Amino acid sequence: MRDPKVGSGFSWKLIVVAILSIGVGFLAFNFHHILRVSHVHISLAHHHRSHAFCSFTGCNLIEDLTEPNLTPENAADVSDGASSPQGGRWTMVALSREAAKAEGPGPIPEDKIAAVTDSLASRVCGHPAIDGYSHVVPQCLEDSPTNKWWQNYYAQGGKQADLVMHVEKSAGYDGLAVGWGINNKVKSAEECGQQCLDHMPNYQGQGPYDKLPCNAFVWCPDDVCFEPDAHHHTKGDCWLKFTEGPASPELNQRGKLPDWYMKKHADAPPIVQWWSGVLLPAGIEPNNGTWGPRYQW
C-alpha cells in the first residue's frame, strides 16, 4: 500500500508547478505591455524631477490641458465698440519706472527675446482653477519657468519696478493671490499695477504663495464687480497675483460677455467690469492669452 503522505506531498508539488507555469506564461504573454507601462511610469518620474511636474500630487500636466491661442469673438475695445483681437490691451510704462541703471541686467538682446517669451508664456503646473484651486501645488509654481526667470532676473540686479505694465480694460485675468484684494482699495488700475511693481516675494513667509513674485493684477472700478465666486467684490479692490505664463495670460472674462454666459449668470453685466494687467520685462509683449477654467464657471 502507498504511503498517503507521499501522495499528498506529490500533489502539492504539482499545484506549485502549475501556479509557477501560469505565472511565467502570463509574464511572457504580457511582457511588451508591462515593459511599455513601466516605461511610462519611469518617464513620468523623470518628467517630475526635470520640470517639477506634479502629476501624482494634484498638478495637471500642460500636455493634458493645452488650449489654443484665442481670438475671441467677444473681445472688444469698449471705448469704441470695435472688434479687437487684443481685447483693448495697451502698454503702459509703470509710473514709477526709473531710467535704466547700469547695474541692472539691461535690455533683453534681440536674439534672446523669443526664448524669454517662450519661458514667460509657458504653463507647466496646469490651470489652478480647474478644480476650484483645491489642488494647487506651490512647489510646482516655485519651480516653474516663470518663477525661475524672475529669480534669475533679481539675481542679476533686475528690479521689479523696472518691469513694464500692460493693462487691459474689461478683462479678468486669473492667478493666485500674493496680495489679497478684498478691502485693498486703490483709485485706478495704474495704482493697482504700481502695488504689483512694489511687491516683493517674502521668502520667510508662511503663506503658500509668499515666495512668488507679483506679475499680474486685477482692479474693480465699479460699486460692485461681478465674479462667479464666493467673494463680494467692491469698488477699488486690487488683487495682486502670480500667474504662470504672464506673456500669455489666462482669462476668466473679456469684453462683451456671450449670451450663454448671461443666461447662466443673470446678475452679470453685459460687459466685463474688471481691469487687468501683467508685468513683463521690456521687449516682451503679451499675446492674446487663453481662456481659463473660470470662463466656464
Side-chain angles (χ1 to χ4, degrees), residues 142-157:
E142 291 174 24
D143 292 336
S144 67
T146 296
N147 190 52
K148 291 298 184 185
W149 182 88
W150 245 265
Q151 299 310 313
N152 186 56
Y153 174 71
Y154 292 150
Q156 292 182 47

Side-chain angles (χ1 to χ4, degrees), residues 174-211:
D174 200 22
L176 297 155
V178 296
W180 199 248
I182 302 297
N183 294 323
N184 178 31
K185 303 295 186 182
V186 297
K187 295 180 180 179
S188 68
E190 294 88 344
E191 285 189 38
C192 189
Q194 184 62 52
Q195 283 198 7
C196 196
L197 285 164
D198 293 339
H199 181 91
M200 289 297 292
N202 178 6
Y203 300 109
Q204 306 303 318
Q206 301 300 311
Y209 313 125
D210 284 350
K211 298 177 183 178

Side-chain angles (χ1 to χ4, degrees), residues 13-203:
K13 289 179 182 178
L14 285 176
I15 292 171
V16 171
V17 170
I19 291 173
L20 290 174
S21 298
I22 292 171
V24 171
F26 176 83
L27 291 173
F29 185 79
N30 292 279
F31 176 76
H32 290 292
H33 174 73
I34 293 170
L35 182 63
R36 184 168 64 251
V37 172
S38 299
H39 175 72
V40 169
H41 283 285
I42 291 169
S43 298
L44 284 174
H46 175 72
H47 227 188
H48 178 88
R49 289 193 302 271
S50 301
H51 302 284
F53 286 174
C54 316
S55 57
F56 297 110
T57 58
C59 247
N60 296 299
L61 296 182
I62 185 64
E63 289 88 345
D64 297 331
L65 293 165
T66 300
E67 297 178 42
N69 210 38
L70 78 152
T71 305
E73 295 177 358
N74 64 323
D77 185 339
V78 296
S79 63
D80 60 10
S83 178
S84 167
Q86 289 300 316
R89 182 187 297 116
W90 67 89
T91 298
M92 179 182 298
V93 176
L95 299 179
S96 68
R97 188 178 178 191
E98 302 172 6
K101 294 183 172 61
E103 66 268 20
I108 299 171
E110 287 190 13
D111 61 342
K112 302 291 186 184
I113 286 179
V116 174
T117 299
D118 287 345
S119 179
L120 294 180
S122 66
R123 183 175 295 277
V124 301
C125 299
H127 304 255
I130 199 164
D131 53 4
Y133 304 94
S134 62
H135 289 91
V136 177
V137 181
Q139 187 62 54
C140 186
L141 298 171
E142 291 174 24
D143 292 336
S144 67
T146 296
N147 190 52
K148 291 298 184 185
W149 182 88
W150 245 265
Q151 299 310 313
N152 186 56
Y153 174 71
Y154 292 150
Q156 292 182 47
K159 293 180 169 55
Q160 183 83 352
D162 289 337
L163 297 171
V164 178
M165 188 192 308
H166 300 262
V167 183
E168 182 175 355
K169 185 178 181 180
S170 293
Y173 293 177
D174 200 22
L176 297 155
V178 296
W180 199 248
I182 302 297
N183 294 323
N184 178 31
K185 303 295 186 182
V186 297
K187 295 180 180 179
S188 68
E190 294 88 344
E191 285 189 38
C192 189
Q194 184 62 52
Q195 283 198 7
C196 196
L197 285 164
D198 293 339
H199 181 91
M200 289 297 292
N202 178 6
Y203 300 109

Side-chain angles (χ1 to χ4, degrees), residues 2-18:
R2 191 171 56 179
D3 186 348
K5 293 182 180 179
V6 175
S8 175
F10 183 75
S11 299
W12 277 111
K13 289 179 182 178
L14 285 176
I15 292 171
V16 171
V17 170

